[in-house]
Amino acid sequence: MKRLYGYIALTLSALASCCVQAIPIPDNLDDALQQLIQQHGLTGEPTKGITIPDIHSSEAQLGKLLFFSKALSGNQDVACASCHHPYLGGGDGLALAVGTLAIDEDIMGPGRQTTTGEYYVPRNTPSIFNSALYQRGLFRDARVEFLDWLKPEKGISTPDVPYGEADPNAGETLVAAQARFPVVTESEMRGFDFMQGYSNQAVRAHLAARIGDYDSAQGELIQNRWYPLFASVYGDKPAKEIVTFANITRALAAYQRSMNFVNNPWNAYVKGDKDAISESQKRGAYLYLFMPPPPSDGGTEPDYLPTQCIGCHNTDSFTQTKGSNYHRLAFPQIGPGTGTLDQPSNDLGRTQRNNNNDGLYSFRSGTLLNIEVTGPYGHAGSYDTLMQVIEHYDDYHQVLDDYIDNQGWCQQPQFKSIARCQDLFPDARYNTDLAAKIIDDEIEDGAPVLQKLYLSRQAKEDLVNFMKALTDPCVKDARCLAPWIPSREDIDPDGLRLQPLNYQQVPLYLPKKCNQVMPLSSGSELQPNQGECISGSTVYLYFDVEKDNSNIFISTRDGSGNLTLYYHPNTWAMPDNAVTQSAGAGTEQKLVLTLNKGRHYVSAVSRSQFDKVSIAVGVLDARKPNKPSDMAVPNACLTQQAQSFAELHSGKPVCLAANDSYFYIKITEPNSTLTLKARHGVGNTDLLVGTYWPSRGDYQFSSQSADNAEYLKLHLSRPGWYYVLATGEGTNQGVTLQADIN
């Protein structure tokens, strides 16, 4: 296949091979690094001088609830967290984001696909981790930016105003300004059919009125308990004065800016702990930081090219705070693009905003803090690993050829299972070559960018390991991330909270890379929502359930071999004593149970071996419907006589008597789901369930809200008769109960 840049590449390669040497690593590495740390003014304190909100503040807590609510999307089907989840590095784990038109609105990561099979969001989702550290601009093309980042009082420019002008509605921070745009972007949260023809400002005003329950949007939410939360933060005033889009973005910004994850090994090293990083990471740090002063500052011309990493990702924030904020890298251009220059699938980068061809195909330099967990990488998410990125910088010609000629996107989790994956992005070669040609011309003119460095494999691994030293351990620990994720105790103001699932239809959890960590030993504990790794033929594990009425999802995936999961409530689970076992094939196994508070046991057993398998325990509240419409029950009391004792049948509602009512229902298949719902009428009805006749003081599962709106979704491993007590105080009237079996 003809290359637009072939001749120049060969010429540069010949020149470099005769004149350039690999960067030598000094023997006294700690001393050399100390000099570089001083040269670049590093302190190990990225947040110095920056006010970071406390996640436990009332404003950040309000922002958390808003961030996870689908009410901010036009069709109430996408939350901010649908594309930015702490368990996925503050992003979505996809090359190209999928916002609206998702087949399953709750699926995140690989497996989230559109109803049409097309991709509409043109770029990779940036991480929200450490967003408070950005001092110049946000979005990959920095279309939200300070007019003068050294004089922020001049204002913030956004796409709502012409380039170079301050947006009077931008808000006080870059993050608040950024939060104004996903909700008005059709492919992200707005939807393609919501308020067509209306301005961005009109859409925002409508969403604020929906949350505040006023004006034309009053009543759009089936339940709405937002006002007291806003009043507790912004004052006890009328809803129209405090539930505004400006306050919504303030709260969202407080939540996002509170994600301050900078307690990493590298910062500890900079502050004096010489044992905080490994020898490989020290070598990588030297390669990263080495940048000899120019001759004008007393430096000498080196015999080798520096990596120049520090030139674009500098200071303690490891993002661009010196020189140009935008760089042309020719990462593979896949996806729908942003269009123009005679190619709808092209992405012009910075030029899309400022109409200046000097920025053609250039993108903002993002922070490298926590870069280990924030992939895929590049403006279109073309690379899954940091090694691929390093190799691109070292020899982008070869890497681009390999990626595009071999349809590298088909190796990425998001695309690899799609039929005719190779045909997804037919313009990838042409669009990528346009950017590569400009870089080749710049190199020919003497620019140092992307010149081949001739890095050894060891040097590349050292650079990758150094970037892993920029990872705060908190972002790999589900317990540490818990304050940023709504819990069962947090109010769900509108019933539209995102309950994210992965492609296995189990609660999203924080994964581990099982090819990089040691497996759990038999007898270990599993923590909720924390992925772990197992290998062997039999591994015994246990987990603690913190609350009654918990739906527990135990799942395995990836790795090699085959296995079966076995569960027992009281002792180590084995094939001959297990209460139930998983379903699936190979290492893809799933076991779903409704359990109460206490210690429980699960084992992974194989007749042969399994290796590097991911395992996790996820938890959902059995009393929490996924969305308000799940509570829908026809009013049987309009057409039926009240009953106090009867058999329940799936899908057939019954009218309850005023006093206690007893029902029984037969489950004929193992691993069935029984959903019980009560609605309508007056009074206070509770649902108590057991494998025996329950009483008010003796039952297994229950739904006991303060009214007649009861919901209980039970995952039952064993077939048989189940018994339901619907309690009443003699004042209950007109209450309907419905059972559904799946």
Side-chain angles (χ1 to χ4, degrees):
M1 184 178 294
K2 185 177 180 181
R3 308 286 184 265
L4 292 176
Y5 44 76
Y7 174 76
I8 295 174
L10 290 172
T11 302
L12 284 171
S13 178
L15 287 172
S17 62
C18 73
C19 305
V20 178
Q21 304 173 22
I23 300 175
I25 302 297
D27 293 331
N28 53 342
L29 196 49
D30 284 326
D31 291 342
L33 281 175
Q34 187 59 40
Q35 292 178 7
L36 291 174
I37 288 169
Q38 293 177 356
Q39 175 185 331
H40 296 298
L42 303 180
T43 66
E45 298 181 2
T47 59
K48 188 175 183 179
I50 300 174
T51 301
I52 304 295
D54 185 343
I55 182 55
H56 300 291
S57 69
S58 57
E59 189 171 45
Q61 287 293 302
L62 172 60
K64 177 175 70 174
L65 299 181
L66 288 165
F67 198 82
F68 277 81
S69 173
K70 299 174 187 176
L72 282 177
S73 61
N75 296 313
Q76 302 180 32
D77 57 354
V78 185
C80 301
S82 297
C83 293
H84 299 277
H85 198 285
Y87 287 170
L88 295 175
D92 57 9
L94 300 175
L96 299 171
V98 176
T100 56
L101 295 181
I103 295 174
D104 187 329
E105 63 193 52
D106 295 316
I107 295 291
M108 287 196 67
R112 185 176 177 89
Q113 299 289 348
T114 63
T115 55
T116 64
E118 302 291 329
Y119 296 94
Y120 300 98
V121 180
R123 294 173 182 160
N124 174 257
T125 299
S127 172
I128 55 174
F129 287 174
N130 298 115
S131 58
L133 300 185
Y134 287 103
Q135 300 179 48
R136 301 178 70 165
L138 290 176
F139 289 114
R140 293 198 178 274
D141 55 7
R143 58 188 181 272
V144 168
E145 61 183 330
F146 280 115
L147 291 177
D148 184 341
W149 70 281
L150 296 176
K151 297 179 180 179
E153 65 274 8
K154 290 187 176 182
I156 298 172
S157 182
T158 78
D160 276 352
V161 298
Y163 174 73
E165 294 185 12
D167 184 345
N169 299 313
E172 298 88 357
T173 66
L174 286 173
V175 180
Q178 177 273 335
R180 297 169 58 79
F181 290 92
V183 298
V184 297
T185 303
E186 291 179 335
S187 60
E188 295 181 18
M189 295 180 70
R190 179 172 178 170
F192 292 92
D193 56 356
F194 180 73
M195 293 185 68
Q196 288 183 327
Y198 285 82
S199 68
N200 287 352
Q201 198 64 12
V203 172
R204 296 183 187 114
H206 186 95
L207 294 175
R210 173 191 288 175
I211 298 293
D213 202 30
Y214 57 81
D215 289 351
S216 61
Q218 187 173 18
E220 283 192 0
L221 300 178
I222 294 177
Q223 69 180 52
N224 193 324
R225 293 180 285 177
W226 283 108
Y227 174 77
L229 301 174
F230 277 81
S232 69
V233 178
Y234 302 114
D236 189 8
K237 301 176 183 178
K240 291 182 68 171
E241 295 182 25
I242 59 172
V243 188
T244 62
F245 205 80
N247 281 343
I248 288 173
T249 59
R250 286 188 182 97
L252 289 171
Y255 167 71
Q256 293 176 78
R257 285 170 52 84
S258 74
M259 293 186 181
N260 178 44
F261 304 122
V262 297
N263 294 321
N264 59 56
W266 169 250
N267 285 336
Y269 180 84
V270 172
K271 292 178 180 180
D273 183 356
K274 302 306 179 186
D275 297 323
I277 61 177
S278 68
E279 289 301 310
S280 173
Q281 290 171 329
K282 291 178 183 180
R283 293 193 300 268
Y286 186 84
L287 292 170
Y288 184 100
L289 296 173
F290 177 76
M291 178 71 80
S296 60
D297 291 341
T300 58
E301 195 71 29
D303 295 327
Y304 34 82
L305 289 173
T307 62
Q308 302 185 78
C309 303
I310 191 66
C312 301
H313 302 275
N314 44 57
T315 72
D316 290 300
S317 69
F318 284 86
T319 185
Q320 187 74 50
T321 57
K322 301 176 182 178
S324 173
N325 193 29
Y326 319 103
H327 300 279
R328 187 182 296 110
L329 300 174
F331 279 12
Q333 170 53 36
I334 61 173
T338 55
T340 67
L341 275 190
D342 302 323
Q343 192 70 14
S345 59
N346 207 346
D347 191 330
L348 306 187
R350 178 64 173 165
T351 297
Q352 204 82 37
R353 172 60 178 155
N354 65 10
N355 293 316
N356 186 334
N357 284 341
D358 288 345
L360 195 59
Y361 308 121
S362 295
F363 295 91
R364 182 203 61 169
S365 296
T367 180
L368 298 186
L369 295 175
N370 304 299
I371 191 70
E372 178 186 3
V373 301
T374 60
Y377 307 104
H379 71 278
S382 307
Y383 295 142
D384 280 331
T385 69
L386 289 173
M387 181 58 75
Q388 288 176 296
V389 175
I390 295 297
E391 290 179 336
H392 177 99
Y393 278 101
D394 186 46
D395 189 351
Y396 69 99
H397 298 286
Q398 183 62 52
V399 173
L400 288 178
D401 285 349
D402 289 345
Y403 183 90
I404 296 175
D405 288 349
N406 297 307
Q407 294 84 42
W409 57 85
C410 291
Q411 304 304 313
Q412 298 185 256
Q414 183 176 8
F415 310 118
K416 66 181 181 181
S417 62
I418 295 176
R420 299 196 61 79
C421 172
Q422 68 273 16
D423 298 329
L424 279 177
F425 310 118
D427 302 321
R429 163 66 64 189
Y430 178 81
N431 290 331
T432 305
D433 279 355
L434 292 175
K437 176 63 167 62
I438 296 177
I439 294 174
D440 288 336
D441 291 343
E442 291 175 333
I443 293 176
E444 187 177 34
D445 291 338
V449 294
L450 291 184
Q451 290 196 32
K452 185 170 175 58
L453 299 173
Y454 295 93
L455 295 173
S456 67
R457 184 69 184 182
Q458 182 63 61
K460 294 175 185 177
E461 291 176 356
D462 291 342
L463 278 167
V464 169
N465 288 335
F466 167 66
M467 285 190 278
K468 291 180 179 179
L470 304 179
T471 303
D472 186 326
C474 183
V475 303
K476 293 183 173 183
D477 187 336
R479 287 174 293 186
C480 188
L481 289 174
W484 287 273
I485 299 172
S487 69
R488 288 172 66 165
E489 287 71 32
D490 286 322
I491 185 175
D492 185 356
D494 49 33
L496 291 171
R497 176 176 299 158
L498 173 70
Q499 298 187 59
L501 308 173
N502 69 14
Y503 72 93
Q504 290 180 285
Q505 294 284 336
V506 302
L508 187 72
Y509 62 85
L510 186 62
K512 283 189 177 179
K513 296 179 180 179
C514 291
N515 61 341
Q516 299 179 12
V517 300
M518 292 294 293
L520 282 181
S521 58
S522 193
S524 296
E525 180 181 6
L526 292 173
Q527 293 290 336
N529 307 316
Q530 179 70 62
E532 296 290 355
C533 304
I534 54 174
S535 295
S537 59
T538 301
V539 178
Y540 298 105
L541 303 165
Y542 69 92
F543 58 93
D544 290 330
V545 177
E546 295 183 355
K547 303 282 186 181
D548 288 344
N549 304 301
S550 293
N551 282 334
I552 302 297
F553 299 75
I554 311 167
S555 62
T556 58
R557 70 184 196 202
D558 304 329
S560 61
N562 59 79
L563 59 87
T564 302
L565 296 172
Y566 295 94
Y567 165 77
H568 196 283
N570 302 315
T571 189
W572 297 114
M574 295 179 286
D576 59 355
N577 74 350
V579 171
T580 188
Q581 66 184 61
S582 63
T587 64
E588 295 263 340
Q589 299 287 323
K590 183 168 68 172
L591 183 57
V592 187
L593 300 159
T594 303
L595 302 176
N596 286 326
K597 182 178 180 179
R599 178 155 294 180
H600 300 265
Y601 300 84
V602 64
S603 63
V605 179
S606 174
R607 293 182 178 179
S608 53
Q609 292 280 325
F610 51 87
D611 188 42
K612 297 181 176 61
V613 174
S614 176
I615 185 169
V617 173
V619 185
L620 292 178
D621 190 342
R623 302 163 301 177
K624 173 74 170 63
N626 193 37
K627 50 185 178 294
S629 59
D630 290 345
M631 287 288 294
V633 177
N635 192 342
C637 295
L638 297 177
T639 58
Q640 296 180 14
Q641 294 292 321
Q643 300 186 61
S644 61
F645 184 85
E647 181 178 356
L648 293 174
H649 298 279
S650 181
K652 296 183 178 181
V654 297
C655 182
L656 302 183
N659 293 305
D660 291 355
S661 300
Y662 294 86
F663 300 92
Y664 53 97
I665 186 168
K666 189 171 187 179
I667 303 297
T668 59
E669 299 293 332
N671 299 316
S672 295
T673 301
L674 171 63
T675 303
L676 298 167
K677 299 179 283 187
R679 288 297 299 272
H680 308 301
V682 296
N684 179 22
T685 296
D686 294 331
L687 299 179
L688 311 177
V689 183
T691 53
Y692 48 82
W693 285 112
S695 67
R696 294 172 187 267
D698 186 11
Y699 52 86
Q700 290 173 286
F701 306 109
S702 68
S703 174
Q704 303 181 61
S705 66
D707 53 23
N708 289 329
E710 304 295 342
Y711 181 91
L712 196 57
K713 186 173 186 177
L714 304 176
H715 295 274
L716 306 173
S717 60
R718 292 178 172 177
W721 290 100
Y722 288 80
Y723 304 89
V724 181
L725 167 59
T727 65
E729 302 295 340
T731 59
N732 293 11
Q733 289 185 348
V735 181
T736 296
L737 172 66
Q738 179 171 314
D740 295 294
I741 301 174
N742 293 303

